[in-house]
């Protein structure tokens, strides 16, 4: 298969994944729009499956960036889950903050993918 076709396919997969992540991030902030978990799993599986097909380092950095973002968000949500049982407001504030952080990272990734720039230097500071 032609390398340019593979590159285009990987870029398309990245855009689809970023859009799914964006839907998840926005729905996490809007009350009652919780469509996220299923779409997040779909996007994560896509990233994990296609990551091995990527040859360009800048594109591979986007796959790694999205996977790390999802894993960190999952850990942060799990760690702050007990706040919901103690008081409603701290749990809501913590999850809102995590969701905004998640949204920021996804939008940043989309901007850098559009410019064909790597995510490596961005992700060093998490």
């Amino acid at each position: 298969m032609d390398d340019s076709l593979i590159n285009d396919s990987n870029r398309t997969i990245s855009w689809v994944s970023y859009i799914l992540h964006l839907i998840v991030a926005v729905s996490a902030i809007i009350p009652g729009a919780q469509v996220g978990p299923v779409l997040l799993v779909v996007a994560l599986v896509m990233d994990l499956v296609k990551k091995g097909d990527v040859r360009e380092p800048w594109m591979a950095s986007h796959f790694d960036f999205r996977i790390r973002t999802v894993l960190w968000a999952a850990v942060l949500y799990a760690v702050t889950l007990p706040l919901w049982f103690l008081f409603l407001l701290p749990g809501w504030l913590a999850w809102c903050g995590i969701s905004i952080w998640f949204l920021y990272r996804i939008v940043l990734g989309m901007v850098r993918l559009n410019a064909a720039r790597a995510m490596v230097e961005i992700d060093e500071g998490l």
Side-chain angles (χ1 to χ4, degrees), residues 19-59:
I19 289 169
L20 290 175
H21 282 87
L22 184 64
I23 292 168
V24 170
V26 170
S27 74
I29 294 172
I30 299 171
Q34 304 304 324
V35 298
V38 172
L39 295 179
L40 191 62
V41 169
V42 169
L44 181 61
V45 168
M46 282 175 41
D47 287 338
L48 290 169
V49 168
K50 294 300 287 179
K51 179 183 169 187
D53 296 343
V54 179
R55 293 188 180 116
E56 303 87 10
W58 74 269
M59 179 67 76

Side-chain angles (χ1 to χ4, degrees), residues 1-3 18 25 28-29 48 54 61 79 88 95 107 111 116 122 125:
M1 186 179 248
D2 186 19
D3 277 349
Y18 271 126
I29 294 172
L48 290 169
V54 179
S61 73
V79 167
L88 183 62
W95 281 28
V107 170
V111 168
I122 298 297

Side-chain angles (χ1 to χ4, degrees), residues 57-119:
W58 74 269
M59 179 67 76
S61 73
H62 283 273
F63 282 83
D64 292 335
F65 179 78
R66 287 190 304 270
I67 292 167
R68 276 193 304 274
T69 299
V70 169
L71 295 178
W72 270 108
V75 167
L76 292 171
Y77 282 128
V79 167
T80 58
L81 182 63
L83 292 175
W84 285 98
F85 299 115
L86 299 173
F87 301 103
L88 183 62
L89 184 62
W92 182 82
L93 288 174
W95 281 28
C96 188
I98 296 165
S99 298
I100 290 169
W101 169 82
F102 185 78
L103 178 62
Y104 165 76
R105 284 183 56 98
I106 295 308
V107 170
L108 179 66
M110 293 174 87
V111 168
R112 292 187 67 93
L113 178 66
N114 191 50
R117 294 174 59 197
M119 296 303 300

